[in-house]
Amino acid sequence: MTLLKVAILDDYLGLAAKVPDWTRLAGRVEVTSFDRSLAKVPDVGELLAPFDAICLIRERMPITDA
């Protein structure tokens, strides 16, 4: 079974792993939380390419066509 890969961006307080109840998704979803802004990362598209879903917590991450 292939896991759905989810990226959570700008989780600088580390709440994404603590507050939601992820147990219902265990074995089906792999969650990766980024604790810093990726807005200025040169290859952010390549960094996020392996993910099936991106969850934006803050308004700091611009999502562009690039």
Side-chain angles (χ1 to χ4, degrees), residues 3 9-10 15 17 23 25 28 31 41 45 58 61-63:
L3 293 177
L9 306 186
D10 291 321
L15 297 177
T23 58
L25 301 175
R28 296 186 291 167
V31 178
V41 173
R58 308 277 181 250
M61 182 65 189
I63 303 297

Side-chain angles (χ1 to χ4, degrees), residues 44-61:
V44 70
E46 289 180 33
L47 177 69
L48 297 175
F51 293 96
D52 301 297
I54 299 171
C55 178
L56 305 173
I57 293 180
R58 308 277 181 250
E59 69 284 349
R60 300 182 299 180
M61 182 65 189

Side-chain angles (χ1 to χ4, degrees), residues 14-33:
L15 297 177
K18 299 174 189 171
V19 175
D21 179 8
W22 295 104
T23 58
R24 296 180 69 186
L25 301 175
R28 296 186 291 167
V29 175
E30 176 184 320
V31 178
T32 302
S33 182

